[in-house]
mmCIF file of all heavy atoms in Angstrom:
data_model
loop_
_atom_site.group_PDB
_atom_site.id
_atom_site.type_symbol
_atom_site.label_atom_id
_atom_site.label_comp_id
_atom_site.label_asym_id
_atom_site.label_seq_id
_atom_site.Cartn_x
_atom_site.Cartn_y
_atom_site.Cartn_z
ATOM 1 N N ASP A 1 130.083 14.180 51.241
ATOM 2 C CA ASP A 1 130.629 13.343 50.169
ATOM 3 C C ASP A 1 130.590 11.863 50.403
ATOM 4 O O ASP A 1 130.400 11.092 49.530
ATOM 5 C CB ASP A 1 132.118 13.832 50.041
ATOM 6 C CG ASP A 1 132.302 15.315 49.958
ATOM 7 O OD1 ASP A 1 131.716 15.995 49.096
ATOM 8 O OD2 ASP A 1 133.061 15.834 50.746
ATOM 9 N N ILE A 2 130.872 11.582 51.648
ATOM 10 C CA ILE A 2 130.994 10.063 52.053
ATOM 11 C C ILE A 2 130.017 9.827 53.091
ATOM 12 O O ILE A 2 129.784 10.564 54.009
ATOM 13 C CB ILE A 2 132.457 9.815 52.604
ATOM 14 C CG1 ILE A 2 133.464 10.155 51.569
ATOM 15 C CG2 ILE A 2 132.520 8.406 53.140
ATOM 16 C CD1 ILE A 2 133.489 9.315 50.294
ATOM 17 N N THR A 3 129.465 8.547 53.089
ATOM 18 C CA THR A 3 128.633 8.071 54.122
ATOM 19 C C THR A 3 129.251 6.808 54.764
ATOM 20 O O THR A 3 129.625 5.950 54.064
ATOM 21 C CB THR A 3 127.190 7.736 53.656
ATOM 22 O OG1 THR A 3 126.597 8.905 53.007
ATOM 23 C CG2 THR A 3 126.311 7.321 54.730
ATOM 24 N N GLU A 4 129.350 6.795 56.068
ATOM 25 C CA GLU A 4 129.920 5.689 56.759
ATOM 26 C C GLU A 4 128.656 4.894 57.266
ATOM 27 O O GLU A 4 127.760 5.470 57.914
ATOM 28 C CB GLU A 4 130.783 6.152 57.999
ATOM 29 C CG GLU A 4 131.299 4.929 58.817
ATOM 30 C CD GLU A 4 132.079 5.314 59.949
ATOM 31 O OE1 GLU A 4 132.237 6.589 60.231
ATOM 32 O OE2 GLU A 4 132.501 4.518 60.700
ATOM 33 N N LEU A 5 128.601 3.622 57.027
ATOM 34 C CA LEU A 5 127.631 2.648 57.537
ATOM 35 C C LEU A 5 128.149 1.676 58.505
ATOM 36 O O LEU A 5 129.127 1.077 58.185
ATOM 37 C CB LEU A 5 126.876 1.953 56.374
ATOM 38 C CG LEU A 5 126.201 2.805 55.391
ATOM 39 C CD1 LEU A 5 125.677 1.935 54.188
ATOM 40 C CD2 LEU A 5 125.041 3.575 55.931
ATOM 41 N N LYS A 6 127.481 1.501 59.622
ATOM 42 C CA LYS A 6 127.913 0.475 60.465
ATOM 43 C C LYS A 6 126.572 -0.447 60.660
ATOM 44 O O LYS A 6 125.526 0.159 60.954
ATOM 45 C CB LYS A 6 128.381 0.922 61.833
ATOM 46 C CG LYS A 6 129.701 1.707 61.767
ATOM 47 C CD LYS A 6 130.151 2.095 63.138
ATOM 48 C CE LYS A 6 131.376 2.961 62.975
ATOM 49 N NZ LYS A 6 131.915 3.310 64.306
ATOM 50 N N ILE A 7 126.668 -1.732 60.475
ATOM 51 C CA ILE A 7 125.562 -2.563 60.503
ATOM 52 C C ILE A 7 125.857 -4.016 61.025
ATOM 53 O O ILE A 7 126.938 -4.398 60.916
ATOM 54 C CB ILE A 7 124.887 -2.606 59.069
ATOM 55 C CG1 ILE A 7 123.519 -3.231 59.037
ATOM 56 C CG2 ILE A 7 125.798 -3.193 58.095
ATOM 57 C CD1 ILE A 7 122.704 -3.026 57.849
ATOM 58 N N GLY A 8 124.833 -4.625 61.536
ATOM 59 C CA GLY A 8 124.987 -5.964 61.991
ATOM 60 C C GLY A 8 123.646 -6.654 61.825
ATOM 61 O O GLY A 8 122.596 -6.032 61.519
ATOM 62 N N ASP A 9 123.610 -8.046 62.031
ATOM 63 C CA ASP A 9 122.435 -8.774 61.953
ATOM 64 C C ASP A 9 121.300 -8.255 63.026
ATOM 65 O O ASP A 9 121.657 -8.184 64.233
ATOM 66 C CB ASP A 9 122.616 -10.269 62.231
ATOM 67 C CG ASP A 9 123.272 -10.965 61.007
ATOM 68 O OD1 ASP A 9 122.892 -10.607 59.887
ATOM 69 O OD2 ASP A 9 124.073 -11.861 61.242
ATOM 70 N N THR A 10 120.139 -7.832 62.429
ATOM 71 C CA THR A 10 119.045 -7.365 63.248
ATOM 72 C C THR A 10 119.527 -6.335 64.328
ATOM 73 O O THR A 10 118.912 -6.276 65.407
ATOM 74 C CB THR A 10 118.299 -8.581 63.934
ATOM 75 O OG1 THR A 10 119.124 -9.186 64.849
ATOM 76 C CG2 THR A 10 117.728 -9.524 62.940
ATOM 77 N N MET A 11 120.466 -5.511 63.931
ATOM 78 C CA MET A 11 120.962 -4.419 64.824
ATOM 79 C C MET A 11 120.554 -3.136 64.222
ATOM 80 O O MET A 11 120.180 -3.070 63.105
ATOM 81 C CB MET A 11 122.479 -4.433 64.883
ATOM 82 C CG MET A 11 123.123 -5.612 65.589
ATOM 83 S SD MET A 11 124.861 -5.525 65.613
ATOM 84 C CE MET A 11 125.175 -4.075 66.618
ATOM 85 N N PRO A 12 120.537 -2.045 64.997
ATOM 86 C CA PRO A 12 120.369 -0.738 64.425
ATOM 87 C C PRO A 12 121.370 -0.495 63.300
ATOM 88 O O PRO A 12 122.399 -1.087 63.272
ATOM 89 C CB PRO A 12 120.453 0.197 65.552
ATOM 90 C CG PRO A 12 120.335 -0.616 66.809
ATOM 91 C CD PRO A 12 120.755 -1.957 66.376
ATOM 92 N N ILE A 13 121.059 0.451 62.463
ATOM 93 C CA ILE A 13 122.065 0.905 61.520
ATOM 94 C C ILE A 13 122.681 2.318 61.914
ATOM 95 O O ILE A 13 121.809 3.149 62.304
ATOM 96 C CB ILE A 13 121.499 0.944 60.056
ATOM 97 C CG1 ILE A 13 122.584 1.195 58.992
ATOM 98 C CG2 ILE A 13 120.342 1.954 59.917
ATOM 99 C CD1 ILE A 13 122.146 1.028 57.529
ATOM 100 N N PHE A 14 123.878 2.459 61.833
ATOM 101 C CA PHE A 14 124.522 3.663 62.170
ATOM 102 C C PHE A 14 124.913 4.316 60.837
ATOM 103 O O PHE A 14 125.530 3.686 60.054
ATOM 104 C CB PHE A 14 125.776 3.445 63.074
ATOM 105 C CG PHE A 14 126.649 4.653 63.269
ATOM 106 C CD1 PHE A 14 126.302 5.521 64.313
ATOM 107 C CD2 PHE A 14 127.751 4.946 62.524
ATOM 108 C CE1 PHE A 14 127.078 6.690 64.525
ATOM 109 C CE2 PHE A 14 128.568 6.060 62.731
ATOM 110 C CZ PHE A 14 128.145 6.885 63.761
ATOM 111 N N ILE A 15 124.401 5.511 60.646
ATOM 112 C CA ILE A 15 124.639 6.318 59.312
ATOM 113 C C ILE A 15 125.384 7.572 59.711
ATOM 114 O O ILE A 15 124.769 8.356 60.480
ATOM 115 C CB ILE A 15 123.401 6.518 58.654
ATOM 116 C CG1 ILE A 15 122.659 5.234 58.234
ATOM 117 C CG2 ILE A 15 123.639 7.299 57.319
ATOM 118 C CD1 ILE A 15 121.258 5.435 57.739
ATOM 119 N N LYS A 16 126.560 7.745 59.182
ATOM 120 C CA LYS A 16 127.309 9.023 59.449
ATOM 121 C C LYS A 16 127.655 9.666 58.098
ATOM 122 O O LYS A 16 128.369 9.051 57.356
ATOM 123 C CB LYS A 16 128.623 8.586 60.289
ATOM 124 C CG LYS A 16 129.371 9.810 60.627
ATOM 125 C CD LYS A 16 130.674 9.447 61.490
ATOM 126 C CE LYS A 16 131.462 10.715 61.885
ATOM 127 N NZ LYS A 16 132.576 10.167 62.767
ATOM 128 N N PHE A 17 127.147 10.824 57.984
ATOM 129 C CA PHE A 17 127.439 11.580 56.742
ATOM 130 C C PHE A 17 128.750 12.422 57.040
ATOM 131 O O PHE A 17 128.777 13.217 58.025
ATOM 132 C CB PHE A 17 126.301 12.543 56.377
ATOM 133 C CG PHE A 17 125.080 11.739 55.991
ATOM 134 C CD1 PHE A 17 124.049 11.713 56.938
ATOM 135 C CD2 PHE A 17 124.926 11.064 54.824
ATOM 136 C CE1 PHE A 17 122.812 11.007 56.639
ATOM 137 C CE2 PHE A 17 123.770 10.290 54.556
ATOM 138 C CZ PHE A 17 122.745 10.282 55.371
ATOM 139 N N ILE A 18 129.719 12.376 56.205
ATOM 140 C CA ILE A 18 130.975 12.945 56.456
ATOM 141 C C ILE A 18 131.245 13.988 55.360
ATOM 142 O O ILE A 18 131.401 13.587 54.169
ATOM 143 C CB ILE A 18 132.086 11.938 56.542
ATOM 144 C CG1 ILE A 18 131.887 10.882 57.548
ATOM 145 C CG2 ILE A 18 133.492 12.598 56.774
ATOM 146 C CD1 ILE A 18 132.672 9.666 57.458
ATOM 147 N N SER A 19 131.578 15.186 55.702
ATOM 148 C CA SER A 19 131.903 16.231 54.719
ATOM 149 C C SER A 19 133.432 16.441 54.843
ATOM 150 O O SER A 19 133.924 16.918 55.785
ATOM 151 C CB SER A 19 131.249 17.547 54.947
ATOM 152 O OG SER A 19 131.731 18.484 54.083
ATOM 153 N N VAL A 20 134.147 15.965 53.834
ATOM 154 C CA VAL A 20 135.653 16.046 53.783
ATOM 155 C C VAL A 20 136.081 17.451 53.788
ATOM 156 O O VAL A 20 136.939 17.924 54.553
ATOM 157 C CB VAL A 20 136.204 15.239 52.705
ATOM 158 C CG1 VAL A 20 137.618 15.353 52.672
ATOM 159 C CG2 VAL A 20 135.759 13.837 52.822
ATOM 160 N N ALA A 21 135.496 18.199 52.857
ATOM 161 C CA ALA A 21 135.884 19.630 52.608
ATOM 162 C C ALA A 21 135.564 20.531 53.795
ATOM 163 O O ALA A 21 136.389 21.559 54.135
ATOM 164 C CB ALA A 21 135.366 20.146 51.329
ATOM 165 N N GLU A 22 134.420 20.334 54.346
ATOM 166 C CA GLU A 22 133.960 21.309 55.422
ATOM 167 C C GLU A 22 134.239 20.835 56.842
ATOM 168 O O GLU A 22 133.966 21.578 57.759
ATOM 169 C CB GLU A 22 132.422 21.499 55.267
ATOM 170 C CG GLU A 22 132.042 22.034 53.927
ATOM 171 C CD GLU A 22 132.509 23.403 53.533
ATOM 172 O OE1 GLU A 22 132.663 24.152 54.516
ATOM 173 O OE2 GLU A 22 132.790 23.662 52.451
ATOM 174 N N ASP A 23 134.722 19.698 57.055
ATOM 175 C CA ASP A 23 135.196 19.217 58.325
ATOM 176 C C ASP A 23 134.004 19.172 59.330
ATOM 177 O O ASP A 23 134.125 19.687 60.417
ATOM 178 C CB ASP A 23 136.382 20.035 58.848
ATOM 179 C CG ASP A 23 137.011 19.330 60.083
ATOM 180 O OD1 ASP A 23 137.063 18.115 60.093
ATOM 181 O OD2 ASP A 23 137.594 20.020 60.937
ATOM 182 N N TYR A 24 132.961 18.459 58.924
ATOM 183 C CA TYR A 24 131.818 18.274 59.821
ATOM 184 C C TYR A 24 131.229 16.871 59.548
ATOM 185 O O TYR A 24 131.518 16.358 58.466
ATOM 186 C CB TYR A 24 130.726 19.372 59.767
ATOM 187 C CG TYR A 24 129.972 19.368 58.513
ATOM 188 C CD1 TYR A 24 128.935 18.618 58.292
ATOM 189 C CD2 TYR A 24 130.378 20.269 57.478
ATOM 190 C CE1 TYR A 24 128.199 18.635 57.138
ATOM 191 C CE2 TYR A 24 129.739 20.402 56.276
ATOM 192 C CZ TYR A 24 128.626 19.493 56.049
ATOM 193 O OH TYR A 24 128.017 19.525 54.997
#
């Protein structure tokens, strides 16, 4: 349902897919 993004200038991007209903 939700995607968490963490980002910075010329840094890697962290992408976390979060399922609220299924808890994973």
Side-chain angles (χ1 to χ4, degrees):
D1 311 307
I2 301 293
T3 302
E4 178 184 0
L5 297 174
K6 294 182 182 181
I7 190 167
D9 284 325
T10 64
M11 291 179 71
I13 187 170
F14 173 83
I15 303 170
K16 182 177 183 178
F17 299 106
I18 305 165
S19 177
V20 177
E22 302 295 326
D23 194 29
Y24 67 86

